[in-house]
Amino acid sequence: MKQPLPGLGLALGLTWLWLGLIVLVPLAALVIRPWELGAAGVWAVVTEPRVLAALRLSFGAALLAALVDLPIGLLVAWVVVRYRFPGRRLLDAAVDLPFALPTAVAGLALTALYAPNGWLGAPLAALGIKVAFTPLGVAVALAFVGLPFVVRSVEPVLRDLARDAEEAAAMLGATRAQTWWRVLLPALGPALASGVALAFARAVGEYGSVIFIAGNTPMLSEIAPLLIVVQLEQFDYAAAAAIGLAMLALSFLLLLGFNLLQRRLRRGLA
Amino acid sequence: MRGPTEEPAWLRRLLCLLAAAVLVVFFLLPLAAVFTEALRRGLAPALAALADPDALAALRLTLLVAAIAVPVNTVGGIAAAWAIAKFEFRGKRLLTTLIDLPFSVSPVISGLVYVLLFGAQGWFGPWLQRHGIEIIFALPGLVLATIFVTFPFVARTLIPLMQAQGRAEEEAAATLGSSGWQSFRRVTLPNIRWALLSGVLLCNARAMGEFGAVSVVSGHVRGETNTLPLHVEILYNEYQFVGAFAVAALLALLALVTLGAKALLERLTGRKLAGA
């Protein structure tokens, strides 16, 4: 077909140039550089106990944070779409705060809040729960940065959801709880899964909001991105790239899993 | 009486209360903590921290980096959205996926990749050194890392809108004899201006606030390669808490202005604009 609009060649050329120079060539370096250590060398770097502990923390805390964001995000999206109450507009706008707030500022804020003498840290410490400078603190920071992804994934689906399915369920004698379980949650399932996947993907690589609250104790509260920085400070580029590549490969595998789950949930709908 | 598709009143009230609790704990308290810590000793020390020469140098550098990175990504984003939304071509899906790639990469990795290319032991490192060109631990590195992390913002805000608008108006302009540039300037641009502005704002907020990626390529030389977010970290690690929180409060204000402007733009256009 002839394209009656001009500009495709120019736009595509500009796009691929921009993409290639800024994203593709640099990422190629990340994929190629580790192998100058040899396969055994790469394996030795990523299976070092300190690196393994950091990977476990980054992925574990990110998964935990994304799962915590699931009910909270659903609650916020539901209330913002379905109910009218004072402060609804404010809540709707505030959801984007973690997107817009610089990560270092979020890190400082959460550390001040959850430190043993902080507004939330002090009462929690009285209950015997330490948040700042522990793995729990890492999860708190990751839940903060991930929440908007869940809310913003579910919200548009909820807005477009026709009420007639719910009405039909009610007419057929379903209780509201049954309607929730059998009608609403299945319809929201794919959006929830993709929101959780996005929150997880963001949380795995998060750096700025975590390093202040984590305390960065080796083997306990060190995240994987921090170890990349540590290797770079020792000018060990290949080892830094190996950890980076391992992170990318792991999150790619996990996101693939999320994708399959989402597809199954969607098929359940049809 | 409650309708058949509503929760009982007590449950609705409970859910609203819980949501209010989320609002306070997740969003309002962290913000309040920043401003409270910044003003702990009053306004004067906070303002003094902002007027410090190193802080001012960091502010200038942050503005300069954003002033280069944001236009680059705006032009690239418009070109990508134009091609993807208005045309069919092979590899479109791949292109869309690749444009989103920087969002799923850790900020630290976004900085790392440029060190692997241009650092002292990078692929081009020795060549750059021989020719006296500094990229890593200098302005070009900061700009490159910032362009990488803010890469998808403009394209992502524009693509859904331009796809929804279709190409009928541009085709009409073409049949009436307008050139490609004319129809872009007079038809396309006015149609997308608010979404474009929103994308640019988000891109700018991230560019000025980026921490992880620039931290890797900066070298942290005070007054030279230190951006505002990095300055926050330096002050914090030196236990200058009032100064650290004062600079953090300035950055938080930037975030609040961005959110306010985005909410305003959404009201103007009557639709939700894509976030990050």
Side-chain angles (χ1 to χ4, degrees):
Chain A
M1 194 195 85
K2 188 181 169 296
Q3 306 265 16
L5 282 188
L8 175 65
L10 176 67
L12 257 191
L14 213 58
T15 306
W16 278 110
L17 181 74
W18 175 62
L19 189 68
L21 286 182
I22 295 292
V23 178
L24 299 183
V25 172
L27 279 179
L30 180 75
V31 176
I32 296 169
R33 266 318 270 275
W35 306 106
E36 59 194 51
L37 298 171
V42 172
W43 185 249
V45 168
V46 298
T47 54
E48 201 193 313
R50 190 173 163 196
V51 176
L52 276 184
L55 286 172
R56 209 175 299 134
L57 176 64
S58 272
F59 283 84
L63 204 60
L64 176 68
L67 291 178
V68 168
D69 283 336
L70 173 75
I72 302 180
L74 178 60
L75 167 77
V76 171
W78 176 262
V79 164
V80 163
V81 172
R82 288 288 174 101
Y83 299 159
R84 293 290 168 271
F85 58 97
R88 189 186 69 92
R89 269 244 163 82
L90 180 66
L91 178 62
D92 190 23
V95 168
D96 283 331
L97 185 70
F99 282 156
L101 197 65
T103 53
V105 178
L108 236 60
L110 294 173
T111 311
L113 209 52
Y114 288 98
N117 58 355
W119 292 339
L120 294 176
L124 286 170
L127 295 173
I129 305 170
K130 269 193 74 181
V131 180
F133 319 123
T134 69
L136 184 59
V138 176
V140 166
L142 296 183
F144 174 79
V145 297
L147 185 61
F149 291 96
V150 179
V151 179
R152 294 300 182 222
S153 303
V154 176
E155 205 188 301
V157 181
L158 202 51
R159 223 178 272 283
D160 292 342
L161 206 62
R163 291 264 185 140
D164 45 8
E166 288 169 65
E167 282 163 8
M171 293 241 312
L172 292 170
T175 64
R176 191 64 188 149
Q178 281 173 323
T179 308
W180 253 101
W181 191 242
R182 297 278 180 84
V183 177
L184 283 168
L185 278 183
L188 296 175
L192 278 169
S194 96
V196 167
L198 287 171
F200 170 80
R202 167 71 198 265
V204 161
E206 183 55 31
Y207 180 70
S209 52
V210 178
I211 54 159
F212 294 98
I213 199 173
N216 307 325
T217 316
M219 301 299 295
L220 176 70
S221 60
E222 257 182 347
I223 52 168
L226 180 67
L227 285 192
I228 296 179
V229 174
V230 170
Q231 296 288 5
L232 274 183
E233 277 166 0
Q234 295 161 2
F235 292 96
D236 195 342
Y237 287 10
I243 300 173
L245 189 60
M247 279 181 68
L248 276 191
L250 273 174
S251 41
F252 178 74
L253 281 178
L254 278 162
L255 289 177
L256 206 67
F258 272 120
N259 238 327
L260 289 178
L261 175 75
Q262 207 184 337
R263 220 173 274 175
R264 282 188 92 174
L265 288 173
R266 209 159 262 156
R267 208 173 304 140
L269 274 186
Chain B
M1 203 196 81
R2 79 184 162 100
T5 61
E6 281 174 3
E7 286 71 32
W10 65 268
L11 186 58
R12 261 181 295 168
R13 222 163 287 147
L14 178 70
L15 291 176
C16 286
L17 271 178
L18 281 175
V22 171
L23 172 68
V24 171
V25 170
F26 258 78
F27 305 119
L28 299 187
L29 278 182
L31 270 183
V34 171
F35 290 101
T36 313
E37 292 291 329
L39 300 173
R40 180 149 290 229
R41 301 226 184 86
L43 191 59
L47 289 180
L50 294 179
D52 178 77
D54 286 339
L56 288 178
L59 174 64
R60 265 195 302 274
L61 182 62
T62 297
L63 293 175
L64 177 63
V65 168
I68 303 171
V70 174
V72 169
N73 279 342
T74 304
V75 172
I78 293 175
W82 173 262
I84 289 173
K86 306 271 177 185
F87 297 94
E88 291 304 324
F89 54 88
R90 286 177 66 176
K92 186 159 140 173
R93 264 225 166 133
L94 177 71
L95 186 62
T96 317
T97 314
L98 288 178
I99 286 173
D100 275 346
L101 201 57
F103 274 165
S104 43
V105 171
S106 168
V108 169
I109 295 179
S110 315
L112 167 70
V113 291
Y114 291 105
V115 178
L116 295 178
L117 286 181
F118 304 122
Q121 282 123 56
W123 282 347
F124 306 109
W127 186 89
L128 290 169
Q129 239 163 17
R130 272 200 304 281
H131 291 79
I133 305 170
E134 281 188 322
I135 291 187
I136 299 304
F137 303 153
L139 179 67
L142 294 172
V143 171
L144 283 171
T146 305
I147 294 180
F148 187 105
V149 292
T150 58
F151 192 85
F153 278 103
V154 174
R156 278 186 74 143
T157 352
L158 289 184
I159 289 171
L161 178 72
M162 287 169 78
Q163 264 168 346
Q165 286 173 346
R167 42 191 283 172
E169 289 188 36
E170 280 86 359
E171 281 169 354
T175 37
L176 293 172
S178 88
S179 74
W181 274 119
Q182 274 176 329
S183 85
F184 178 75
R185 274 210 334 266
R186 305 230 179 121
V187 178
T188 314
L189 220 44
N191 274 340
I192 61 168
R193 61 187 167 193
W194 298 124
L196 180 63
L197 187 57
S198 167
V200 168
L201 280 174
L202 289 173
C203 179
N204 180 61
R206 179 73 193 266
M208 290 189 175
E210 178 52 31
F211 179 77
V214 291
S215 162
V216 172
V217 296
S218 143
H220 307 273
V221 184
R222 274 182 174 219
E224 282 178 40
T225 61
N226 225 15
T227 63
L228 271 186
L230 298 176
H231 193 57
V232 170
E233 187 197 20
I234 288 195
L235 292 175
Y236 188 82
N237 287 341
E238 287 174 350
Y239 303 103
Q240 301 189 38
F241 293 128
V242 167
F245 278 98
V247 179
L250 182 66
L251 287 168
L253 280 179
L254 167 75
L256 290 178
V257 169
T258 306
L259 285 185
K262 183 170 171 266
L264 195 70
L265 285 174
E266 276 173 356
R267 269 213 195 157
L268 273 177
T269 50
R271 59 180 282 159
K272 283 255 165 187
L273 298 165

